[in-house]
Amino acid sequence: MARVGLTPDRLTEAGAELADEVGFDQVTVSALARRFDVKVASLYSHVKNSQDLRTRIALLALAEMADRAAEALAGRAGKDALAALANVYRDYAREHPGRYAAAQLRLDPQTAAASAGVRHARMTRALLRGYDLTEPDQTHAVRLLGSVFHGYVSLELGGGFSHSAPDTEETWARILDALDTLLRNWPAAPTDPRG
Amino acid sequence: MARVGLTPDRLTEAGAELADEVGFDQVTVSALARRFDVKVASLYSHVKNSQDLRTRIALLALAEMADRAAEALAGRAGKDALAALANVYRDYAREHPGRYAAAQLRLDPQTAAASAGVRHARMTRALLRGYDLTEPDQTHAVRLLGSVFHGYVSLELGGGFSHSAPDTEETWARILDALDTLLRNWPAAPTDPRG
DNA sequence: CCACTTGCCTAAAAGCTTTAGGAAGATGCA
DNA sequence: TGCATCTTCCTAAAGCTTTTAGGCAAGTGG
């Protein structure tokens, strides 16, 4: 009785909040039921199982980040755009660590293809149009940017850079500088080992 | 009866193998007990709890990677050393995905300080002595390398680069090239926004 | 050979996941 | 309004994991 009004979307949203509060791997069907003050089994009418719930949270996070990225990129080009996109990821991870962790969830190919992940790839490619890269190199650059953004954000979030002296703000700025320089002078052909 | 000869080290090693086979997050005290054909409670004499087990696996992975890195760096400098170190991480992650995942486990500061993590940091710094970087920049470069290595490896491992056209081998080579170039011409001061 | 330590065991409580089937609230149609 | 139906949430129950407490037997040392 006293229907609470559960829906897959409400559960996903609440699951995302829970993830940000206690960590993505602590998101459990039980915890979510507790949060709605409802019996555990009730959730299984709205969500297939635990994995399904986690996948939905991942998709939500990817979509939210893509929305932010699209807004940040609008009207920007070159280094401005680079910094804007990079900051979207970093800021999102800081504001929503659980959601960010969710976005790293390995999705099966079909789900991934239907996710906002493809928007991310497209936006990174769009950003690179501000630099002079032809096709094979553009893909390499997309992958480099993805690696740096994800690697930096996850190391920073995991405390990998704590305690050390120059603050991470400074490092972040310098890395964006470096990436911009690199993209503007992308080393052409595979260089000879004895360069 | 029939003592199996459990020790913390044997459990850790077996846990690492299990992680590589079924994924780090599937490493459970129960599964490990099954593997030794022993009752679950028996493991609790050797390992404090589930978290303790996971931490031990993480420390093992960090140490193994550090050993490989030390060997790979011996006698190398410059781009050779850069590629050698980078490949240690990439190869380790491919050979031991579960252990690599374990190495990302967030450790509490004390444990982290006593781990092989500090050797990794030292080796990256040593590698950078082959390039001309003075102190604040050196730290920035350490963080950049850490980000790229970790980011690339984890995206590649997670299938983030699958399906696309230029193969990842090629991209990896180009990224190492790019990093080498970047480190040799590290952009000096914070550049002006309108560079 | 006896005392002691250690290693693995049984037992049990507590939490999470998932399925099956029931009952009350909402909805739709006459 | 009245009744059938569907939906939402519930109880019950089985299975798995974690963790603690206490017991017996296998090695170890004197």
Side-chain angles (χ1 to χ4, degrees):
Chain A
M1 339 82 177
R3 305 206 165 178
V4 186
L6 303 180
T7 66
D9 283 354
R10 283 196 65 195
L11 290 178
T12 305
E13 181 61 42
E17 284 166 23
L18 187 61
D20 288 335
E21 289 166 21
V22 305
F24 182 58
D25 39 309
Q26 304 299 315
V27 171
T28 165
V29 182
S30 297
L32 204 51
R34 237 173 275 131
R35 175 166 283 231
F36 280 96
D37 201 30
V38 141
K39 297 295 166 165
V40 191
S42 306
L43 301 203
Y44 282 82
S45 318
H46 306 279
V47 146
K48 256 216 315 285
N49 52 35
S50 197
Q51 182 56 37
D52 180 36
L53 172 64
R54 275 189 270 269
T55 300
R56 284 168 189 270
I57 297 173
L59 295 176
L60 172 68
L62 285 172
E64 285 182 351
M65 275 194 279
D67 289 347
R68 285 197 186 190
E71 183 174 5
L73 284 180
R76 291 192 223 264
K79 192 182 167 188
D80 262 12
L82 177 69
L85 183 63
N87 282 319
V88 162
Y89 293 125
R90 190 160 94 121
D91 293 345
Y92 189 83
R94 294 168 140 191
E95 289 169 37
H96 300 294
R99 284 153 143 104
Y100 186 80
Q104 304 326 131
L105 187 69
R106 220 228 186 288
L107 302 174
D108 63 286
Q110 303 179 24
T111 312
S115 77
V118 308
R119 285 168 66 199
H120 289 278
R122 267 207 297 271
M123 285 189 282
T124 308
R125 280 213 142 72
L127 156 64
L128 285 175
R129 278 201 275 282
Y131 298 89
D132 241 20
L133 295 173
T134 55
E135 193 24 66
D137 287 330
Q138 201 179 66
T139 299
H140 299 319
V142 168
R143 292 171 175 173
L144 172 62
L145 290 183
S147 299
V148 176
F149 295 164
H150 170 55
Y152 187 92
V153 165
S154 74
L155 288 179
E156 187 184 28
L157 205 64
F161 298 151
S162 41
H163 47 58
S164 4
D167 72 14
T168 59
E169 221 55 59
E170 173 82 20
T171 295
W172 183 240
R174 300 302 302 277
I175 286 183
L176 294 184
D177 262 12
L179 284 178
D180 177 61
T181 307
L182 182 59
L183 291 174
R184 278 192 281 107
N185 317 332
W186 187 261
T191 54
D192 186 76
R194 273 269 147 286
Chain B
M1 338 78 180
R3 305 207 167 181
V4 186
L6 303 179
T7 65
D9 283 354
R10 283 196 65 196
L11 290 179
T12 305
E13 180 61 40
E17 285 166 22
L18 187 60
D20 288 335
E21 291 166 20
V22 304
F24 182 58
D25 39 309
Q26 303 300 314
V27 171
T28 164
V29 182
S30 298
L32 205 50
R34 239 173 274 131
R35 174 166 282 229
F36 280 97
D37 202 29
V38 140
K39 296 298 166 161
V40 191
S42 306
L43 300 203
Y44 282 82
S45 317
H46 307 280
V47 146
K48 258 217 312 287
N49 53 34
S50 195
Q51 183 55 37
D52 180 36
L53 172 64
R54 275 189 269 271
T55 300
R56 285 169 190 268
I57 297 173
L59 295 176
L60 172 68
L62 285 171
E64 284 182 350
M65 275 194 279
D67 290 347
R68 285 196 186 191
E71 184 175 4
L73 285 180
R76 291 192 223 265
K79 192 184 167 187
D80 263 14
L82 176 69
L85 183 63
N87 282 319
V88 161
Y89 293 126
R90 190 161 94 122
D91 294 345
Y92 189 84
R94 293 167 140 193
E95 290 169 38
H96 300 294
R99 284 155 145 103
Y100 186 81
Q104 304 329 129
L105 188 68
R106 220 226 185 290
L107 302 173
D108 62 288
Q110 304 179 25
T111 312
S115 76
V118 307
R119 286 169 65 201
H120 289 279
R122 266 206 298 271
M123 286 188 281
T124 307
R125 279 213 142 70
L127 157 64
L128 285 174
R129 276 200 277 279
Y131 297 89
D132 240 19
L133 295 173
T134 54
E135 192 25 65
D137 288 330
Q138 202 179 65
T139 299
H140 299 318
V142 168
R143 291 171 176 174
L144 172 63
L145 291 183
S147 299
V148 178
F149 295 164
H150 170 55
Y152 188 91
V153 166
S154 73
L155 287 181
E156 187 183 27
L157 205 66
F161 297 152
S162 41
H163 48 56
S164 5
D167 72 13
T168 61
E169 220 57 58
E170 172 83 20
T171 297
W172 183 240
R174 299 301 302 278
I175 286 183
L176 295 184
D177 263 11
L179 284 177
D180 177 61
T181 306
L182 182 59
L183 291 174
R184 277 191 280 105
N185 318 335
W186 186 260
T191 54
D192 185 79
R194 272 269 148 285

